[in-house]
Amino acid sequence: MTAGALLTIDFEALAANYRLLCRQVAPAQVAGVVKADGYGLGAARVAQTLIGQGCRHLFVALLGEARVLKPQLPGDIPLYVLNGLMPGAEAECAALGAIPVLNSLDQIARWAALAAERSIVLPGVLQVDTGMSRMGLPGDEVAALLADPALLEGIDLRLIMSHLACADDPADPANAAQARLFEDIAARFPDVPRALDNSGGAFLPRGHFDIVRAGIAMYGGAPGEGPNPMHPVIALEARIAQLRTIPAGTGVGYGLTHRVDRESRIATIPVGYADGWPRCLGNRGSAYVAGVRVPVVGRVSMDSITLDVTDVPDAALYPGAPVELIGPHQSLDAVAADAGTISYEILTQLSRRYERVHLPALAKVQDRSLVP
């Protein structure tokens, strides 16, 4: 191997997760969120897999992402830009055929002005803020828009949407409060499809409006608390670069932040924080060798990690021996928990230095008759 580790991406599992979400939220449709280069796994390949499963709506975050992805999509697949329009970006968005999520009266005014200037109708999505205080029209701007519907002249509203702040916690009362407010606002746009739920929202015990925007669950991350119903999509395997035996009391790594309390075998693997493996996992994370949990000892370096493999059978220890970082014994969510973060962050930071293997979808996965 010329890379520090092998990242396996299972697109069959991705397709299966999409189908699972479709069954979960039916009769709502499931849109694929492919921002951040498909959560780091390759937006074009992710999009092609989802389209093969019947997906007809895709979301990115930035117009620059749409610029790269749109030419690789069939012309009839809408591509929405979640962060909307920065001033001056209107003409490029229209030329691409991307659909902006309009998050403010200012964005609406600029998009409508371009439509008027060209005497055309432009597609758009209206996002309203129902309590997250992030993207979307706040209450006063919603009121102004409802009082003057002419502000939307020249805009073909394809969708009205909002975003849940606490969907990963089904017991949080904010979920119901946001849904009620969203429903009240959306009722003022009776012929426009509605979208509120994300991955966590897909598993809330209520209806799911018209479109659900699937993100982390589609990529195998847990959509909320409790057992994860999704199939794992990635596996990450490193190889032992060096083995050594050190006496009791010896320090390991930068700052000698760990000292072994017995004669120990230390394995070094060529993965580090430059590969997206969080530095905070030093002296707290782990890996698996031959099914045995081995702790990270010492600090995570830019290009290497040291593991205490003293309890691993000798037959499994040799230069080039496999080391599981994400896989059957250690899930993406488990790594995130050890790092004090969320699976989204681990997934989207996985390095391009890894050698990547794509498990191609089988013919049966491409059979649209399997889509609920």
Side-chain angles (χ1 to χ4, degrees):
M1 290 180 61
T2 57
L6 180 70
L7 176 64
T8 301
I9 306 170
D10 186 346
F11 287 96
E12 293 178 35
L14 180 78
N17 286 339
Y18 181 80
R19 296 196 302 272
L20 188 159
L21 288 163
C22 286
R23 292 191 295 271
Q24 173 68 26
V25 304
Q29 298 181 58
V30 178
V33 179
V34 295
K35 62 184 179 179
D37 193 27
Y39 281 48
L41 303 186
R45 183 67 184 268
V46 170
Q48 290 159 9
T49 300
L50 298 178
I51 291 168
Q53 296 303 300
C55 179
R56 290 298 173 268
H57 301 274
L58 297 171
F59 285 82
V60 292
L62 304 169
L63 187 58
E65 294 177 320
R67 184 189 306 129
V68 174
L69 183 59
K70 191 71 169 72
Q72 303 180 68
L73 301 178
D76 61 341
I77 300 296
L79 183 61
Y80 307 94
V81 181
L82 287 164
N83 285 9
L85 292 167
M86 294 294 287
E90 299 82 20
E92 181 179 3
C93 187
L96 279 174
I99 302 176
V101 174
L102 302 169
N103 293 302
S104 66
L105 288 179
D106 173 64
Q107 291 185 21
I108 290 171
R110 287 187 275 110
W111 197 231
L114 181 65
E117 176 187 320
R118 298 185 177 183
S119 300
I120 58 175
V121 174
L122 291 170
V125 172
L126 178 65
Q127 178 160 212
V128 297
D129 177 18
T130 54
M132 195 172 179
S133 303
R134 196 180 65 171
M135 293 287 189
L137 274 70
D140 60 333
E141 293 196 359
V142 172
L145 183 63
L146 293 173
D148 187 4
L151 294 173
L152 289 168
E153 189 172 341
I155 298 175
D156 173 20
L157 275 190
R158 301 288 181 86
L159 190 66
I160 182 169
M161 61 175 275
S162 190
H163 195 69
L164 293 171
C166 304
D168 55 344
D169 181 4
D172 196 305
N175 294 314
Q178 283 194 260
R180 285 192 299 270
L181 179 55
F182 176 69
E183 196 159 16
D184 289 345
I185 296 171
R188 304 291 296 271
F189 301 87
D191 298 321
V192 180
R194 301 159 298 165
L196 175 65
D197 290 337
N198 51 9
S199 289
F203 290 87
L204 294 176
R206 55 161 172 73
H208 300 285
F209 300 99
D210 299 300
I211 293 177
V212 170
R213 303 182 307 277
I216 193 63
M218 201 168 61
Y219 298 99
E225 299 174 352
N228 185 1
M230 314 312 296
H231 303 281
V233 171
I234 66 163
L236 184 62
E237 181 181 272
R239 300 279 173 172
I240 293 176
Q242 188 171 2
L243 282 162
R244 68 182 65 231
T245 300
I246 61 176
T250 303
V252 181
Y254 281 119
L256 304 178
T257 59
H258 177 83
R259 291 186 181 273
V260 298
D261 57 9
R262 58 176 175 170
E263 182 177 272
S264 301
R265 297 201 76 183
I266 301 298
T268 301
I269 60 173
V271 171
Y273 57 77
D275 302 291
W277 207 251
R279 187 172 182 270
C280 65
L281 287 176
N283 294 313
R284 62 189 287 190
S286 63
Y288 281 79
V289 177
V292 178
R293 181 185 181 277
V294 294
V296 175
V297 290
R299 291 177 180 164
V300 173
S301 301
M302 181 181 288
D303 310 297
S304 61
I305 298 169
T306 41
L307 306 167
D308 188 331
V309 296
T310 308
D311 296 327
V312 177
D314 287 347
L317 296 175
Y318 51 89
V323 177
E324 176 191 323
L325 292 171
I326 299 174
H329 299 94
Q330 180 160 263
S331 70
L332 175 66
D333 289 284
V335 173
D338 283 348
T341 186
I342 55 176
S343 55
Y344 303 71
E345 186 173 3
I346 301 298
L347 186 59
T348 57
Q349 290 186 2
L350 294 176
S351 172
R352 286 290 174 183
R353 291 206 299 185
Y354 297 134
E355 182 177 347
R356 293 182 173 219
V357 170
H358 295 169
L359 299 185
L362 297 175
K364 66 178 182 179
V365 173
Q366 300 295 335
D367 182 358
R368 293 184 183 176
S369 68
L370 294 178
V371 179

